[in-house]
Amino acid sequence: WPVPQTLNGRPFYTTDAIGDFSLQFLREARNVEKPFLLYVAFNAPHYPLQAPEEAVKKYAGRYDAGWDELRRQRHARQLKSGLLPAKWELSRRPEHIPAWSELSDDEQQWETRRMEVFAAMVDLLDENVGRIVQYLKDENLLDNTLVFFCSDNGACPFEHTRGRNKEPWDAASYWTYDARWANAGNTPFRLYKQNQDEGGISSPLIVHWPAGLKTKAGAVTDQPGHLIDFMATFIDVGQAEYPSQISNRTIDPLQG
């Protein structure tokens, strides 16, 4: 189906559209005195790698040093911040991934461009999460709203690019990145999505709820969790009941 060229007077971009409809839902939810649950499933930064031109150009040259240096810098920041204990060394670059220095100038330029687009997508995702948070703040709802922000898996290593002749702000383009940048995205872990190593299954979760959390702000925990735990948490916090039957359909027991 052809996509609209504009949405609310702006050039159409799916991440922005999801943000717009999320805000619309929140405004409607304010009309009733009941708790609300908003599930915002952004597709970004899943492939294809597409972003508006101005967003991509913002990251021009940011990744020229390549994946080896990027992994080293990220690992150093993780150790300095205390996110990782000092004993966690950086995993070795897999043999099927070449050293950045081994690539030709043309290959480096192509790889750098791919990562610039990915960064632009993450930037715009962050901007739209910020729009939602700002609305909650403006309406004095943020402190008593439980906010979960998470990813469902590690970085994706699959190369599905179909042609490099179309720019990533062209809706007909289809760029992806492969295991080389995925390995950097999963720093300091091994492997990627669809593998059972930490690079595939370890994903971060940020939780914000000043009025309800008993942990100190900014605290870091290594407590294991899974997406199926969300439902049980929301039912508990919202003081709802999980049904055993809806109409003539028997509901499976709650997991998580």
Side-chain angles (χ1 to χ4, degrees):
W1 296 94
V3 298
Q5 296 302 304
T6 61
L7 181 71
N8 294 336
R10 294 180 298 165
F12 181 85
Y13 187 61
T14 302
T15 303
D16 293 332
I18 293 173
D20 287 343
F21 286 119
S22 298
L23 293 174
Q24 178 181 324
F25 170 86
L26 289 174
R27 286 189 289 267
E28 293 173 354
R30 294 286 284 138
N31 293 328
V32 294
E33 292 296 326
K34 291 183 179 180
F36 58 81
L37 188 148
L38 171 61
Y39 171 49
V40 189
F42 288 103
N43 63 326
H46 196 280
Y47 57 73
L49 304 180
Q50 296 176 337
E53 183 175 2
E54 62 274 14
V56 176
K57 289 185 175 180
K58 178 179 176 180
Y59 289 91
R62 183 71 64 89
Y63 298 96
D64 287 357
W67 43 71
D68 293 321
E69 178 61 17
L70 180 65
R71 293 184 76 230
R72 187 195 67 76
Q73 291 178 3
R74 286 185 173 178
H75 184 239
R77 288 199 302 271
Q78 290 167 343
L79 295 177
K80 184 178 180 180
S81 69
L83 181 64
L84 298 181
K87 65 180 181 179
W88 283 31
E89 299 179 356
L90 182 63
S91 61
R92 289 182 295 179
R93 174 169 34 80
E95 293 182 358
H96 61 271
I97 296 178
W100 182 259
S101 59
E102 295 175 357
L103 302 184
S104 67
D105 290 346
D106 286 345
E107 288 177 314
Q108 287 185 356
Q109 184 178 19
W110 161 241
E111 294 293 354
T112 295
R113 290 212 69 201
R114 293 208 274 191
M115 197 59 182
E116 289 169 359
V117 183
F118 182 83
M121 295 174 72
V122 173
D123 189 323
L124 293 169
L125 166 63
D126 184 63
E127 178 182 303
N128 279 279
V129 171
R131 293 171 63 205
I132 296 170
V133 170
Q134 187 62 51
Y135 177 85
L136 295 173
K137 187 180 296 185
D138 292 343
E139 296 295 318
N140 295 317
L141 295 170
L142 183 60
D143 283 356
N144 197 32
T145 298
L146 173 58
V147 179
F148 281 9
F149 180 77
C150 73
S151 173
D152 56 352
N153 47 250
C156 182
F158 308 128
E159 172 64 281
H160 294 308
T161 297
R162 296 198 291 268
R164 305 183 189 181
N165 59 323
K166 295 184 183 298
E167 296 290 357
W169 42 87
D170 182 336
S173 67
Y174 204 99
W175 293 13
T176 66
Y177 70 35
D178 61 14
R180 312 176 198 205
W181 286 121
N183 184 232
N186 289 333
T187 303
F189 302 133
R190 296 178 63 249
L191 299 180
Y192 343 90
K193 177 181 178 179
Q194 287 199 341
N195 297 120
Q196 303 311 305
D197 288 72
E198 291 300 317
I201 65 173
S202 182
S203 55
L205 169 65
I206 299 172
V207 182
H208 184 270
W209 189 24
L213 294 179
K214 295 180 174 63
T215 51
K216 293 177 61 177
V220 178
T221 176
D222 58 2
Q223 175 184 346
H226 191 273
L227 290 174
I228 63 171
D229 299 326
F230 284 19
M231 171 79 83
T233 300
F234 297 152
I235 289 174
D236 187 23
V237 170
Q239 300 178 354
E241 293 185 8
Y242 186 80
S244 60
Q245 187 162 341
I246 295 179
S247 186
N248 60 350
R249 177 185 172 191
T250 301
I251 307 300
D252 290 337
L254 179 66
Q255 299 184 53

